[in-house]
Amino acid sequence: MDTKVLYITAVIVAAISGGYYYYSGKGKKLEGSSAQSMTYSAKNINLLQTDEKGMLYVKATVDELNQDMKQKTSSLQNLNASMFTDNVEDATFYAKQAHGYNDNEKIVLSGDVVATKQGEMGKMVFRTDALTGYPKTRKLETSEQVTVQTPNADFVSQGLEADLNEGQYDFKNIRGKYAPN
């Protein structure tokens, strides 16, 4: 038998099999059920995300990511992220570990957490062991001890609630020093 005839026969059989598989619906069923139970893993990630206007919103690097599609959770190692407003960096976050829940509506940072917020008076730097963030609402909270450094003051707080949109911070049991300019 000629090689050309074998090749054409193989293509026809593959096309018929693929068409039957596709049109019988088995392909879609398999794709849907397998995607829900998948766990993804990636290393050395660089992320750029824009908002609905096309402006830069988040820039991040992560050493390792594990994501469970069924549980809607993610785990990140060595997260280094920046958030932007009108294409200008206004907040940064670093943590050795980060865990995202419910498709990253809630993110828990842990291990040498450093968060920096750029304000009118300069940078405000927060250091703590754990920090919970809500990216969509741009709110932060922790009940852990927080060390805060600003251009005018250094202090320690036993907990924090912050609204990055409004620039409002609620510190608990503050101890520190204040030296106005």
Side-chain angles (χ1 to χ4, degrees), residues 150-164:
T150 69
N152 295 334
D154 293 337
F155 58 92
V156 176
S157 170
Q158 189 57 46
L160 161 72
E161 290 181 15
D163 183 338
L164 298 178

Side-chain angles (χ1 to χ4, degrees), residues 76-80 93-99 107-115 126-132 142 144-145:
L76 300 99
Q77 302 296 319
N78 292 324
L79 168 69
N80 199 345
F93 302 92
Y94 170 80
K96 286 185 177 180
Q97 295 183 338
H99 297 281
I107 298 176
V108 178
L109 305 176
S110 60
D112 297 331
V113 178
V114 178
F126 306 92
R127 297 178 191 280
T128 186
D129 291 329
L131 184 66
T132 301
T142 185
E144 300 290 323
Q145 179 175 305

Side-chain angles (χ1 to χ4, degrees), residues 39-55:
T39 301
Y40 297 99
S41 182
K43 293 186 180 203
N44 300 322
I45 299 165
N46 291 303
L47 165 80
L48 289 174
Q49 181 180 357
T50 59
D51 63 13
E52 59 279 349
K53 297 175 188 172
M55 305 283 271

Side-chain angles (χ1 to χ4, degrees), residues 36-148:
Q36 288 179 342
S37 63
M38 291 189 77
T39 301
Y40 297 99
S41 182
K43 293 186 180 203
N44 300 322
I45 299 165
N46 291 303
L47 165 80
L48 289 174
Q49 181 180 357
T50 59
D51 63 13
E52 59 279 349
K53 297 175 188 172
M55 305 283 271
L56 185 59
Y57 178 65
V58 175
K59 181 179 177 183
T61 60
V62 177
D63 286 352
E64 184 176 346
L65 163 73
N66 294 300
Q67 187 173 22
D68 186 328
M69 298 303 287
K70 188 172 187 174
Q71 300 293 325
K72 295 185 179 180
T73 61
S74 57
S75 174
L76 300 99
Q77 302 296 319
N78 292 324
L79 168 69
N80 199 345
S82 299
M83 294 183 78
F84 295 79
T85 301
D86 297 327
N87 280 342
V88 176
E89 183 180 75
D90 70 343
T92 62
F93 302 92
Y94 170 80
K96 286 185 177 180
Q97 295 183 338
H99 297 281
Y101 302 95
N102 199 23
D103 278 338
N104 294 324
E105 283 184 18
K106 173 183 175 182
I107 298 176
V108 178
L109 305 176
S110 60
D112 297 331
V113 178
V114 178
T116 304
K117 173 67 175 136
Q118 184 65 43
E120 295 173 13
M121 304 294 282
K123 285 186 180 180
M124 184 180 290
V125 180
F126 306 92
R127 297 178 191 280
T128 186
D129 291 329
L131 184 66
T132 301
Y134 303 91
K136 289 183 181 179
T137 61
R138 295 177 51 98
K139 293 186 178 182
L140 305 171
E141 65 183 20
T142 185
S143 59
E144 300 290 323
Q145 179 175 305
V146 180
T147 303
V148 181

Side-chain angles (χ1 to χ4, degrees), residues 6-16:
L6 279 176
Y7 178 73
I8 291 172
T9 305
V11 169
I12 291 171
V13 169
I16 291 170

